[in-house]
Amino acid sequence: MNLSNIFSRKNRILLSELVITDFKLRYQGSVLGYLWSLLKPLLLFTILYLVFVKYLRFGADIAHFEIYLLLGVVLWNYFVESTNQGLHAIVNRSDMIRKINFPKYIIVLSTSISALINLLINLVVVILFAVLSGVEFRSSALLLPINIVELYIISLSFAFLLSALMVKFRDINYIWEVIMQALFYLTPIIYPISMVINTSELAAKILLLNPVAMVIQDARYNLISEQTVTTSNFITNPLIVAIPYILIVLLILIASSYFKNNSKHFAENI
Amino acid sequence: MNNQENAIIVKNLSKSFRLPHEKISGVKQGVIKLFSGERGFEEQKVLKNISFEIKKGEFFGIVGRNGSGKSTLLKILAGIYAPDSGDIAVLGSLTPFIELGVGFNPELSGRENVFLNGALLGFSRKEMTNMYNEIVEFAELEKFMDQKLKNYSSGMQVRLAFSIAIQAKSDILLIDEVLAVGDSAFQQKCFDYFQTLKKGGRTVVLVSHDRNSLERFCDRGVLIDNGEITSFGSIKQVLREYSEVVLGQISNSPQEEVKQGPSISKNYVEIKKTQVLNHDKVPQRKFNYGEKIFVEVSLKARKDIHNPIAGITVWEKHTQRALLATNTLIEENKSLSSLKKGDEITISLELPNNFNDGEFIIEPAIANESATVFYDQVPNANSFIISGSNNPHSLLSSENKLKIEIIR
């Protein structure tokens, strides 16, 4: 998987065509079509606002908690969507893989890009709401793209690993569903991390070593509130702060080598 | 060997597949299999140490029975399967047509599918836009391009896919049984396309069962049997060997396996045995073209029969056409002499052997004097095989040469 190959003319054409196809098929047959990309986060926001801010009164200590919540949920949903689509990417294109030879990573890449585009649309809505509820953007907001890139790399690595595993073990589909459910509750998305800190500081520290949690908290810090607890401002030991990054690097290495070693046999095993 | 002349070089290529006894598609099964120590698969060698070269600009045929490994070979040439060992060098750009319309999505419009399929062949949007009108016109689908593909008939889909496929500008094309689909008008289009490829000096590798198209277009070819190359060279020679293989497969089955078919009625006369013999009157199954063939039919009379007649029909197995049908009345205008109850006689006849390659079935029958009542008839009494005639196009050869005169 060297870079010059990814961007060879033929592969570039195929990649863009697959992304376009993905997007065309996404809201196929629905009346509102692409509007759903905007409507979904909007409706989500309404629910979160009513349940957590008005009714449960979570995060009273955090300013603009509703935006804080929305950003977290949008990022998490992107993570779920892109890994799930990645998981099925290779298997769904089995007809193509069996009939023609092309670099298989293009398929995984194309699903990850179309999920990313969807995330960007959602982020537009998030920023719009942030402006409306009076969030004062600081210069750190410019760091948000870095968080997005981090999350993209994590999702893409999982997508590579899962898509290749799915060819051999269809059970991975259900296993991943359960893992995601568990991870959802282990990540401070709908509850503020301060709730965990109140019970156990150690538990909060462990939760923040999860790379996805780290990215979400960083993004909240950068875009919404300086009061956000992040991995780096909560854990003081720089060696421990490095753990999520080490995990990300390990994930990239494992995923890319597993995918690379197995991709040449996809056509036979699928 | 000068590499400049070759388009594809295959050296010591081997490939085997693991055939799982039961596909392990779940972790649970995998764990069970792991602990029970059961080997969940058997290894099947599909290609065994194959080497050959395909020259630039030639039409190359890959021939073989079903399951011989020819499609696997084509998929390895196309880069879809990875070989276990051996080297393949492809000199030039290559486009495989294992199937037409790869990546077609039923939910997209015909127009969108053209671009998607084109991308798989390596064409950019701009290039496809330039070719678009030509493609649509050739497919004769101008009115349907904005409809979803799922509303197309299968014939329309094939037409569209083919129109895109012929735009491929690669040096080497791999084509697998594409001819097998479509009506005769479509096949004619395929043939015309092949003709232009041939004129254009493109290299084409063709996998097909259709002897006529192989013979018509291919220069050379290779015969794969059981994963090994059993013949390599001119397509005529390869096809000849191929018919040997196909016929050999039939004749390898022992003669006892040819069961006597059901007979009609055995109350009067019973046909006990039908034998095919060579000129030494020794039973034989496989004959050379033109070799003497004798058929002996043994009868037993159950009752006194007045002047029965005996007949024989020879059928070609695949087409189920009768090539020869005659009886003692037609041939000699006489019946057999009357039979007494319990009489056993054997009728021997020499077949005029003008059969071309193939398998032929013998159906003897015995009837009353006026051929209005059949006493016994055995539809599949015996069979024989002819090989070596060099003429695959007709069932019977003609001894009389065709006189051709061109009148202007």
Side-chain angles (χ1 to χ4, degrees):
Chain A
M1 270 189 267
N2 58 39
L3 281 176
S4 66
N5 214 352
I6 292 178
F7 297 110
S8 82
R9 201 183 92 93
K10 203 179 162 175
N11 294 345
R12 227 170 39 225
I13 293 167
L14 187 55
L15 181 61
S16 69
E17 210 56 49
L18 286 178
V19 172
I20 292 169
T21 308
D22 256 18
F23 241 80
K24 278 185 182 148
L25 291 175
R26 185 178 284 258
Y27 296 107
Q28 189 65 240
S30 64
V31 180
L32 295 179
Y34 299 114
L35 259 181
W36 278 114
S37 287
L38 290 167
L39 271 177
K40 246 168 72 181
L42 225 144
L43 294 171
L44 191 66
F45 176 76
T46 316
I47 295 167
L48 293 176
Y49 184 75
L50 289 176
V51 175
F52 291 99
V53 181
K54 286 287 163 206
Y55 182 67
L56 290 176
R57 298 193 183 278
F58 271 19
D61 55 330
I62 298 169
H64 309 295
F65 185 67
E66 66 281 1
I67 305 298
Y68 177 96
L69 202 56
L70 181 65
L71 179 62
V73 171
V74 160
L75 290 177
W76 175 258
N77 280 353
Y78 160 73
F79 180 63
V80 174
E81 185 191 309
S82 67
T83 51
N84 258 333
Q85 285 176 359
L87 180 104
H88 291 106
I90 297 291
V91 173
N92 280 353
R93 298 270 188 203
S94 60
D95 58 326
M96 226 183 237
I97 289 170
R98 272 196 292 249
K99 307 280 162 46
I100 204 160
N101 177 36
F102 60 98
K104 314 294 179 285
Y105 60 79
I106 288 184
I107 300 176
V108 182
L109 217 54
S110 80
T111 57
S112 78
I113 289 174
S114 71
L116 184 67
I117 293 172
N118 215 31
L119 170 66
L120 296 179
I121 296 172
N122 285 354
L123 282 177
V124 170
V125 178
V126 173
I127 290 170
L128 198 76
F129 277 116
V131 173
L132 288 178
S133 42
V135 174
E136 283 171 26
F137 295 117
R138 290 157 292 124
S139 56
S140 65
L142 296 174
L143 295 176
L144 189 66
I146 295 177
N147 304 134
I148 304 296
V149 169
E150 283 171 341
L151 193 58
Y152 177 72
I153 289 171
I154 297 169
S155 312
L156 182 60
S157 303
F158 271 119
F160 273 124
L161 185 64
L162 292 168
S163 65
L165 280 171
M166 182 71 173
V167 173
K168 279 189 181 165
F169 302 105
R170 301 289 156 112
D171 287 26
I172 207 75
N173 186 11
Y174 308 104
I175 295 172
W176 186 246
E177 224 171 88
V178 175
I179 291 176
M180 288 309 266
Q181 198 66 50
L183 222 55
F184 176 71
Y185 290 110
L186 287 174
T187 312
I189 303 161
I190 50 171
Y191 56 87
I193 188 84
S194 55
M195 280 173 84
V196 184
I197 297 172
N198 291 339
T199 6
S200 157
E201 234 174 75
L202 181 69
K205 281 182 180 172
I206 293 173
L207 290 191
L208 283 171
L209 293 183
N210 166 6
V212 180
M214 176 187 79
V215 171
I216 290 178
Q217 290 305 94
D218 283 350
R220 283 165 163 173
Y221 178 92
N222 289 334
L223 190 71
I224 300 160
S225 165
E226 268 177 314
Q227 297 154 342
T228 310
V229 178
T230 67
T231 309
S232 52
N233 69 18
F234 189 58
I235 301 168
T236 39
N237 186 342
L239 287 177
I240 297 178
V241 172
I243 288 178
Y245 293 101
I246 293 167
L247 287 177
I248 294 175
V249 171
L250 276 179
L251 175 67
I252 294 171
L253 292 177
I254 293 169
S256 59
S257 77
Y258 186 78
F259 188 87
K260 199 176 173 188
N261 288 336
N262 283 277
S263 66
K264 53 178 178 278
H265 298 296
F266 281 166
E268 301 158 35
N269 295 330
I270 219 159
Chain B
M1 179 59 68
N2 184 3
N3 280 358
Q4 294 286 304
E5 288 176 6
N6 287 326
I8 296 176
I9 304 164
V10 177
K11 240 186 199 161
N12 306 327
L13 176 74
S14 291
K15 177 76 186 168
S16 54
F17 286 122
R18 285 178 168 187
L19 299 179
H21 291 142
E22 194 185 327
K23 188 166 167 52
I24 307 170
S25 49
V27 173
K28 184 183 138 205
Q29 274 171 294
V31 171
I32 293 169
K33 286 256 160 75
L34 196 70
F35 285 109
S36 62
E38 184 189 332
R39 231 169 72 114
F41 58 85
E42 60 190 299
E43 192 123 320
Q44 192 199 17
K45 288 193 170 166
V46 184
L47 295 174
K48 301 164 195 162
N49 206 20
I50 281 183
S51 305
F52 64 92
E53 292 105 18
I54 297 174
K55 287 183 191 146
K56 263 190 187 139
E58 79 175 336
F59 257 66
F60 193 85
I62 298 179
V63 191
R65 287 181 291 146
N66 285 334
S68 58
K70 57 186 192 312
S71 286
T72 305
L73 176 62
L74 198 74
K75 283 195 169 181
I76 292 176
L77 292 182
I80 297 168
Y81 289 164
D84 293 344
S85 64
D87 294 309
I88 300 159
V90 175
L91 307 157
S93 56
L94 181 148
T95 304
F97 293 111
I98 308 292
E99 191 185 275
L100 287 174
V102 174
F104 268 11
N105 191 312
E107 290 295 330
L108 293 175
S109 71
R111 185 188 169 81
E112 288 161 336
N113 270 305
V114 168
F115 286 93
L116 180 61
N117 191 239
L120 280 164
L121 298 178
F123 291 117
S124 70
R125 248 174 195 254
K126 206 175 149 198
E127 287 169 303
M128 286 310 284
T129 313
N130 290 338
M131 293 187 273
Y132 183 75
N133 285 339
E134 197 185 327
I135 291 169
V136 176
E137 206 172 301
F138 192 81
E140 299 164 18
L141 289 171
E142 289 91 341
K143 286 181 204 153
F144 304 95
M145 292 315 287
D146 290 317
Q147 282 188 25
K148 281 186 184 173
L149 199 76
K150 65 179 176 189
N151 298 329
Y152 280 36
S153 73
S154 54
M156 286 157 78
Q157 290 191 22
V158 168
R159 249 150 59 202
L160 186 60
F162 183 73
S163 310
I164 306 165
I166 61 170
Q167 300 290 336
K169 302 281 190 290
S170 307
D171 309 327
I172 307 162
L173 297 167
L174 306 182
I175 303 176
D176 189 6
E177 309 270 13
V178 172
L179 298 168
V181 295
D183 54 13
S184 53
F186 175 75
Q187 296 206 346
Q188 189 52 49
K189 274 190 173 179
C190 278
F191 287 143
D192 293 344
Y193 172 56
F194 284 178
Q195 214 60 268
T196 44
L197 286 178
K198 225 177 151 102
K199 274 187 203 141
R202 312 270 283 279
T203 311
V204 176
V205 182
L206 193 63
V207 170
S208 181
H209 281 296
D210 181 14
R211 305 176 62 108
N212 288 329
S213 55
L214 282 166
E215 200 170 4
R216 187 164 152 196
F217 293 104
C218 292
D219 312 304
R220 295 193 311 151
V222 66
L223 172 63
I224 311 253
D225 192 37
N226 240 328
E228 286 165 309
I229 293 186
T230 49
S231 177
F232 175 79
S234 78
I235 195 72
K236 273 210 151 88
Q237 181 205 328
V238 168
L239 285 175
R240 200 151 53 225
E241 300 265 339
Y242 177 53
S243 40
E244 291 278 319
V245 170
V246 174
L247 295 172
Q249 183 194 11
I250 304 166
S251 66
N252 282 341
S253 56
Q255 196 171 347
E256 285 75 31
E257 277 187 17
V258 181
K259 288 196 185 108
Q260 280 220 332
S263 51
I264 307 295
S265 160
K266 291 176 180 169
N267 293 339
Y268 292 84
V269 189
E270 186 186 352
I271 296 174
K272 301 287 280 186
K273 199 164 140 194
T274 308
Q275 278 190 299
V276 186
L277 310 167
N278 64 13
H279 56 93
D280 295 325
K281 297 291 174 86
V282 177
Q284 188 173 318
R285 185 113 195 285
K286 207 174 152 185
F287 292 85
N288 285 326
Y289 168 74
E291 197 180 338
K292 277 192 171 164
I293 302 175
F294 293 93
V295 174
E296 284 189 3
V297 182
S298 306
L299 316 168
K300 186 175 181 182
R302 299 269 184 216
K303 290 185 176 155
D304 292 353
I305 306 288
H306 180 69
N307 291 347
I309 59 169
I312 185 170
T313 311
V314 178
W315 300 85
E316 199 280 325
K317 190 180 177 185
H318 296 289
T319 56
Q320 289 292 319
R321 293 269 175 192
L323 302 182
L324 176 77
T326 188
N327 59 42
T328 45
L329 198 66
I330 298 171
E331 293 293 318
E332 294 175 14
N333 197 15
K334 67 175 185 195
S335 55
L336 303 170
S337 54
S338 295
L339 299 175
K340 289 259 182 306
K341 183 179 177 179
D343 275 357
E344 288 191 36
I345 61 161
T346 297
I347 306 160
S348 172
L349 32 123
E350 185 189 341
L351 295 183
N353 185 355
N354 56 347
F355 303 105
N356 278 323
D357 289 3
E359 188 177 7
F360 302 90
I361 293 164
I362 295 166
E363 178 183 336
I366 183 119
N368 70 352
E369 195 174 3
S370 53
T372 50
V373 175
F374 276 68
Y375 297 133
D376 196 3
Q377 186 180 23
V378 188
N380 192 4
N382 211 329
S383 68
F384 60 91
I385 288 159
I386 303 287
S387 64
S389 83
N390 295 343
N391 184 352
H393 304 295
S394 69
L395 301 174
L396 290 175
S397 71
S398 164
E399 289 302 318
N400 304 320
K401 287 276 174 240
L402 205 60
K403 280 181 189 146
I404 300 170
E405 194 182 346
I406 295 162
I407 301 157
R408 290 181 199 278

